[in-house]
Amino acid sequence: MPTVLLLGGTGEARRLASVLPPYRVISSLAGRVADPARPAGEVRIGGFGGPAGLAAYLRAERVDAVVDATHPFAARMSANAAEACSATGVPLVVLRRPGFECKPGDDWRRVPSLEAAAAMLPGIAGRIFLTTGRQGLAHFAHLTEQWFLVRCVDPPVPPVPPRLEVVLDRGPFTVDGETELLARYDIGVLVTKDSGGAMTAAKLDAARARGIPVVVVDRPPVPPGVAVVSTVDEVIAWLCAARR
């Protein structure tokens, strides 16, 4: 029975884990969320110790293929996977859902990084809905004049912006709910990563309806030379081809 190491706790990764038998599937979660949604099959939680540690794990578990289904912004893990698979000769495919699509009526301001997003905010609005995750809040901690609404799964830890309100919640979200949230807090600008996916896309529809600008942080590039697909079905087809 082939062994597949499935990296990531995304919705796509959980769906993939549930449909891959007769493979032996090992799902690896980073452990950054206190109560993650657990996929089917074997689960390991925590890091590998860099590319060398991951390569050692691939050899020890006799992994036949690796599927990188991590979050589109998990650049370090993707780089580690590419290096470890190159060192061991284990085939690797990256599953990346399509990014968000800019639609008529949107007012998007694309930036290459969280630092660039923070630098842009003082010139746009004073009340900001920040949906980039709790780990990147340090990039906004120096903004003392702006007020932030932050939504995340677990409570953030310092450094964080001094004027901050936190909403603990997990998607999927609805357009009606997001519209009400923007109105209740009188939000003037939305900041989001281009993570894609239906679970969090409603905020973009709500921002469009209210005429609110959106600062969109672009994705980091996928490591060069790695196969990239965008759907669970494409991963299954790739795995079947890799076995031939």
Side-chain angles (χ1 to χ4, degrees):
M1 182 181 298
T3 296
V4 176
L5 177 62
L6 182 53
L7 303 174
T10 59
E12 292 85 359
R14 292 193 298 274
R15 288 200 298 274
L16 193 55
S18 68
V19 299
L20 274 185
Y23 296 95
R24 176 198 176 203
V25 181
I26 308 172
S27 294
S28 177
L29 309 181
R32 293 174 178 171
V33 176
D35 184 24
R38 296 178 70 89
E42 297 181 45
V43 179
R44 70 172 301 280
I45 297 178
F48 292 95
L54 177 53
Y57 182 87
L58 298 179
R59 296 187 184 100
E61 294 293 330
R62 298 185 178 182
V63 172
D64 295 287
V66 176
V67 179
D68 174 7
T70 56
H71 190 276
F73 282 79
R76 183 179 297 277
M77 188 66 246
S78 292
N80 289 350
E83 186 174 340
C85 287
S86 177
T88 58
V90 175
L92 168 68
V93 65
V94 175
L95 172 58
R96 286 289 182 271
R97 68 178 80 112
F100 292 130
E101 180 182 351
C102 186
K103 299 179 180 179
D106 283 329
D107 179 8
W108 283 14
R109 324 285 176 89
R110 285 196 171 273
V111 293
S113 64
L114 290 175
E115 294 92 337
M120 179 179 287
L121 289 178
I124 301 179
R127 295 182 66 83
I128 300 150
F129 185 22
L130 189 58
T131 65
T132 55
R134 65 189 179 103
Q135 295 183 354
L137 292 181
H139 297 291
F140 302 88
H142 66 285
L143 297 176
T144 59
E145 299 298 323
Q146 286 70 33
W147 180 90
F148 289 89
L149 175 66
V150 171
R151 182 169 63 200
C152 47
V153 177
D154 293 322
V157 295
V160 298
R163 303 178 64 199
L164 175 74
E165 182 165 340
V166 177
V167 174
L168 299 181
D169 204 356
R170 189 198 304 261
F173 303 104
T174 66
V175 176
D176 287 345
E178 298 291 66
T179 302
E180 190 277 332
L181 190 71
L182 295 177
R184 184 186 350 141
Y185 288 99
D186 191 24
I187 297 299
V189 61
L190 167 67
V191 182
T192 184
K193 293 177 177 178
D194 188 11
S195 55
M199 289 185 65
T200 60
K203 61 192 173 187
L204 299 173
D205 295 330
R208 183 186 316 112
R210 290 186 57 83
I212 294 174
V214 182
V215 177
V216 181
V217 182
D218 287 332
R219 297 176 173 189
V222 173
V226 176
V228 183
V229 299
S230 59
T231 68
V232 168
D233 288 343
E234 288 177 294
V235 173
I236 295 172
W238 180 89
L239 286 169
C240 290
R243 290 188 62 187
R244 297 192 188 113

